[in-house]
């Protein structure tokens, strides 16, 4: 899966997975995310080359939660915080 990917993209993917203690996602997330890099069913518009503002927001939110709540955080949380707002942010 990693063959042909940019080193920077792989580094961001590994950092997100390690810092969030997430498992690789089996399906494509709704919002564009570096977490989609290895998801087999993603289209190019959902794959990105680096961390997105949504990815960073997800990581920040996990680090501001209690450990118990953070362990339960999953792909739905990623989709929720990664979704663009009305302002397009």
């Amino acid at each position: 899966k990693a063959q042909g990917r940019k080193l920077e993209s792989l580094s961001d993917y590994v950092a997100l997975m390690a810092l969030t203690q997430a498992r690789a996602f089996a399906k494509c997330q709704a919002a564009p995310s570096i977490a989609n890099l290895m998801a087999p069913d993603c289209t190019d518009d959902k794959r990105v080359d680096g961390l997105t503002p949504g990815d960073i927001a997800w990581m920040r939110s996990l680090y501001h939660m209690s450990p118990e709540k953070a362990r339960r955080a999953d792909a739905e949380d990623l989709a929720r915080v990664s979704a663009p707002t009305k302002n397009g942010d």
Side-chain angles (χ1 to χ4, degrees):
K1 288 184 181 183
Q3 190 172 6
R5 309 271 188 217
K6 295 179 187 175
L7 181 59
E8 294 85 1
S9 299
L10 292 171
S11 298
D12 282 353
Y13 175 82
V14 169
L16 179 81
M17 294 296 142
L19 292 172
T20 62
Q21 298 182 0
R23 296 184 188 141
F25 295 107
K27 64 179 190 171
C28 191
Q29 303 305 299
S33 170
I34 195 66
N36 290 334
L37 188 67
M38 301 293 184
D41 64 337
C42 278
T43 56
D44 287 341
D45 64 320
K46 299 293 182 187
R47 286 192 175 116
V48 294
D49 289 333
L51 290 169
T52 66
D55 294 330
I56 294 168
W58 184 46
M59 286 191 285
R60 283 184 178 152
S61 69
L62 288 175
Y63 280 86
H64 289 288
M65 288 182 194
S66 69
E68 294 79 28
K69 210 173 193 182
R71 277 193 286 275
R72 292 191 306 264
D74 59 14
E76 289 178 16
D77 295 319
L78 174 60
R80 183 176 40 75
V81 298
S82 299
T85 63
K86 290 179 184 176
N87 298 331
D89 298 337

